């Protein structure tokens, strides 16, 4: 997958005071979105916007494009 997370999203959220229970309880992100972060899968723009808001960062701080080798 050419787009990859540069950071451990869940660890960064926890560092900012957002554990998974608090995130679910406050309705910030769904359980399926948290699972996608665990599995390093892509998420929707809305979830990416929420993540940037919670972490006070830009999308480029979270993700990077890595070229796949030509076969």
């Amino acid at each position: 997958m050419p787009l990859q997370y540069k950071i451990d999203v869940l660890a960064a959220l926890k560092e900012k005071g957002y554990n998974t229970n608090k995130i679910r309880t406050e309705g910030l992100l769904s359980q399926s979105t948290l699972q996608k972060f665990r599995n390093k899968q892509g998420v929707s723009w809305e979830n990416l916007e929420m993540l940037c808001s919670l972490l006070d960062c830009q999308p480029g701080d979270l993700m990077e494009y890595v070229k796949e080798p030509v076969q």
Side-chain angles (χ1 to χ4, degrees):
M1 176 187 250
L3 282 179
Q4 299 176 0
Y5 292 104
K6 294 163 73 171
I7 64 169
D8 180 336
V9 173
L10 296 178
L13 285 166
K14 189 173 184 178
E15 189 175 300
K16 288 281 191 172
Y18 295 101
N19 63 33
T20 54
N21 186 49
K22 180 177 181 176
I23 291 169
R24 284 191 310 265
T25 304
E26 294 183 11
L28 302 172
L29 297 166
S30 69
Q31 178 61 37
S32 63
T33 299
L34 293 173
Q35 192 62 37
K36 286 180 181 182
F37 289 140
R38 282 186 195 93
N39 296 328
K40 300 184 187 309
Q41 297 174 325
V43 296
S44 70
W45 284 112
E46 291 81 12
N47 288 322
L48 190 55
E49 289 172 0
M50 176 60 75
L51 188 58
C52 287
S53 175
L54 295 173
L55 297 177
D56 190 29
C57 67
Q58 295 294 315
D61 299 329
L62 304 172
M63 304 184 87
E64 65 183 340
Y65 175 79
V66 178
K67 256 188 173 178
E68 292 183 334
V70 178
Q71 295 182 13

